[in-house]
Amino acid sequence: MLEMAKYASTQPWPKVEPISIDTALLKKGAYATALGGCVGCHFNDWKGFSANPRIGDQSTAYLALTFRQFRSGRARQFTWHVRYMRALDEGDIDAVAAYLNAAQ
């Protein structure tokens, strides 16, 4: 199992959708992540480390769904995520998801 995990950890993440090139959307997402202090835990160019997961270069659809689950309380996560996501409107969530998807 350890050898399989080591191998899998060296593989690149597949791209399943195009990255947004909408500069206004990406700028809005960058601003919202800065306000939320996301980089404090999801550092290392959004790759995270150890218990702090990677959120950069993830699917926009996956990120937006997860953020909406945090906001609704369906995803069990730290209280901070719930409070932060509840402060964002639908457009902000889509912008943050697009921004993080584009983060390489």
Side-chain angles (χ1 to χ4, degrees), residues 30-75:
Y31 182 71
T33 57
L35 287 178
C38 304
V39 75
C41 294
H42 302 282
F43 47 87
N44 192 19
D45 292 327
W46 304 112
K47 292 177 185 77
F49 181 77
S50 188
N52 298 324
R54 175 181 63 88
I55 59 173
D57 197 23
Q58 298 267 14
S59 158
T60 301
Y62 167 76
L63 290 167
L65 174 67
T66 302
F67 297 158
R68 287 182 174 97
Q69 288 174 336
F70 288 158
R71 186 171 60 185
S72 71
R74 284 182 297 193

Side-chain angles (χ1 to χ4, degrees), residues 86-103:
R86 286 184 179 160
L88 300 178
D89 65 26
E90 289 295 309
D92 292 334
I93 286 178
D94 291 335
V96 169
Y99 170 73
L100 291 171
N101 171 254

Side-chain angles (χ1 to χ4, degrees), residues 66-84:
T66 302
F67 297 158
R68 287 182 174 97
Q69 288 174 336
F70 288 158
R71 186 171 60 185
S72 71
R74 284 182 297 193
R76 293 167 31 124
Q77 194 51 264
F78 300 110
T79 306
W80 167 245
H81 290 112
V82 174
R83 284 193 305 243
Y84 175 62

